[in-house]
Amino acid sequence: MADPPQRMIGKWIIGETLGEGGFSKVKLGTHCDTGRRVALKILQKNRYTMRDSQMKQVTAEIEAMSKIKRPNVINLVDKDFHAIYPKSNGTKKRLCLLFWNLLTVVNTRA
């Protein structure tokens, strides 16, 4: 059986789900040219799934994280408020997409 085709948003290959929250899902993203890996935070752009209070929370998160530039803190790499997400069933959905650096966690306890 052949592997399913890779789903992409722009130049980003959508990988496995890393986590889910109240109104978002985080997937692994890999840039098809550079191989750079990021966490793709996918936010539904449907006005019925995201209330105004939730959108304000997302906007505040983006503003705060855009200001932080530290080596051991997740950094906002990019954002796309008009992304088209190809769902696994073949349909497409409009959404907001946030690109975050992935951190490598090292266990220093023996």
Side-chain angles (χ1 to χ4, degrees), residues 10-30:
K11 293 232 175 212
W12 296 92
I13 300 166
I14 302 167
E16 65 185 280
T17 299
L18 301 175
E20 293 185 48
F23 51 91
S24 66
K25 186 181 278 192
V26 178
K27 292 194 171 268
L28 178 65
T30 306

Side-chain angles (χ1 to χ4, degrees), residues 9-56:
I9 297 176
K11 293 232 175 212
W12 296 92
I13 300 166
I14 302 167
E16 65 185 280
T17 299
L18 301 175
E20 293 185 48
F23 51 91
S24 66
K25 186 181 278 192
V26 178
K27 292 194 171 268
L28 178 65
T30 306
H31 196 277
C32 66
D33 294 334
T34 66
R36 180 179 186 179
R37 293 168 23 126
V38 298
L40 300 172
K41 185 171 186 178
I42 298 167
L43 303 150
Q44 301 294 325
K45 198 172 177 180
N46 183 331
R47 62 184 295 217
Y48 300 108
T49 48
M50 187 178 286
R51 297 185 303 270
D52 286 340
S53 61
Q54 292 170 321
M55 194 58 199
K56 286 179 186 176

Side-chain angles (χ1 to χ4, degrees), residues 14-106:
I14 302 167
E16 65 185 280
T17 299
L18 301 175
E20 293 185 48
F23 51 91
S24 66
K25 186 181 278 192
V26 178
K27 292 194 171 268
L28 178 65
T30 306
H31 196 277
C32 66
D33 294 334
T34 66
R36 180 179 186 179
R37 293 168 23 126
V38 298
L40 300 172
K41 185 171 186 178
I42 298 167
L43 303 150
Q44 301 294 325
K45 198 172 177 180
N46 183 331
R47 62 184 295 217
Y48 300 108
T49 48
M50 187 178 286
R51 297 185 303 270
D52 286 340
S53 61
Q54 292 170 321
M55 194 58 199
K56 286 179 186 176
Q57 180 182 347
V58 169
T59 302
E61 177 184 3
I62 291 169
E63 288 175 7
M65 295 305 288
S66 294
K67 295 175 184 177
I68 298 172
K69 303 293 182 209
R70 304 289 301 173
N72 296 320
V73 177
I74 294 174
N75 294 306
L76 180 64
V77 175
D78 199 2
K79 57 191 175 290
D80 183 349
F81 292 111
H82 306 289
I84 304 294
Y85 178 70
K87 295 177 69 174
S88 57
N89 66 5
T91 62
K92 295 183 180 181
K93 188 172 228 171
R94 291 182 112 67
L95 49 82
C96 295
L97 188 62
L98 305 178
F99 301 80
W100 303 95
N101 277 340
L102 287 175
L103 293 181
T104 301
V105 178
V106 178

